[in-house]
Amino acid sequence: MASKTFAMKFFLLLIFSFAIIQMATAGDPDILSDFIVPPNVTVDGNFFTYTGIRSLITAGLPTAFKVSKAALTEFPALNGQSVSIAVLEFAAGSTNPPHTHPRSAELLFLIDGTLQVGFVDTTNKLFTQTLQTGDMFVFPKGLVHFQYNSAAKAPAIAISAFGSTNVGTVSIPNTLFNTSIDDNVLALSFKTDVATIQHLKAGLAPKP
C-alpha cells in the first residue's frame, strides 16, 4: 500500500514538474526548419521583405493614435520566428488606452517626442515613467499597460518589439464596454448605475 502511495505521489510530482516546465517555456512553438513557407509561394528575397511601413517615412503628422503592425498576418515570413514589431504614432494629446498582450512582453523604443507610459502588476501596483526620445521601456507579458502623449502640440512615434508573431491585444475599454457583457454585471462591478454603463458603451460603439 505504501509503495502505491509513493508511486502516486511520484507520478503527481512528475506531472506538476512537467507543467512548470511547459509554463516556463510557453511562447511561440519551435519549428523544425529554417523557416515556414505558405503553399504556392516563391521563396526569394521578396518573401523575407516587408514594405508596409514605408509609407510612414513620407506621411504627414498623425492626427490620432495609429498602430502599424508587422506581425504574422501582415508578414507571413515571420511564421515560426517568434518576433514582430509595431510602429505607434501618437498625435498630440492622444493615448493608446489600457490593454494587454497575452502572448508576449513588449519592448517600446521612443524615436521621437515624449510619452507617459505605465503598467499595473498583479498586486495592483502602478509603475509609470515619462520617456524622452531615445528611451526604452518594457511592459511585462500579460500586464495591463498604456501610453499617453500629453504634449499639447508635438506628436510622438515609438517602435514596439514583441517576442511572438501574434501577441494578441486585449483592449480593456472595448472588452468591457463594447461587447455583450450584461449592463447589470458591469454596473455592479463598477459600483455605478446601468445608465452610466450604457453611456460608456455608446461612446465606444463603432462609428457608422
Side-chain angles (χ1 to χ4, degrees), residues 124-140:
N124 286 331
K125 182 177 180 180
L126 174 65
F127 297 84
T128 62
Q129 186 62 272
T130 299
L131 302 183
Q132 307 295 323
T133 299
D135 291 348
M136 291 196 294
F137 192 87
V138 62
F139 304 101

Side-chain angles (χ1 to χ4, degrees), residues 26-28 100-105 141-142 162-170:
D28 289 0
T100 69
H101 301 298
R103 292 184 283 275
S104 176
K141 177 180 177 180
F162 302 95
S164 170
T165 60
N166 184 18
V167 300
T169 299
V170 180

Side-chain angles (χ1 to χ4, degrees), residues 129-178:
Q129 186 62 272
T130 299
L131 302 183
Q132 307 295 323
T133 299
D135 291 348
M136 291 196 294
F137 192 87
V138 62
F139 304 101
K141 177 180 177 180
L143 298 185
V144 174
H145 60 281
F146 64 89
Q147 300 104 23
Y148 171 50
N149 179 13
S150 62
K153 296 182 179 179
I157 300 177
I159 297 176
S160 287
F162 302 95
S164 170
T165 60
N166 184 18
V167 300
T169 299
V170 180
S171 169
I172 304 304
N174 281 329
T175 298
L176 292 175
F177 301 110
N178 200 17

Side-chain angles (χ1 to χ4, degrees), residues 89-102:
E89 298 177 89
F90 296 84
S94 65
T95 185
N96 187 3
H99 62 282
T100 69
H101 301 298

Side-chain angles (χ1 to χ4, degrees), residues 61-67 88-95 155-156:
L61 296 178
T63 58
F65 172 69
K66 178 183 177 183
V67 180
L88 313 179
E89 298 177 89
F90 296 84
S94 65
T95 185

Side-chain angles (χ1 to χ4, degrees), residues 7 32 79 168 183 205:
L32 301 178
N79 194 7
D183 291 349

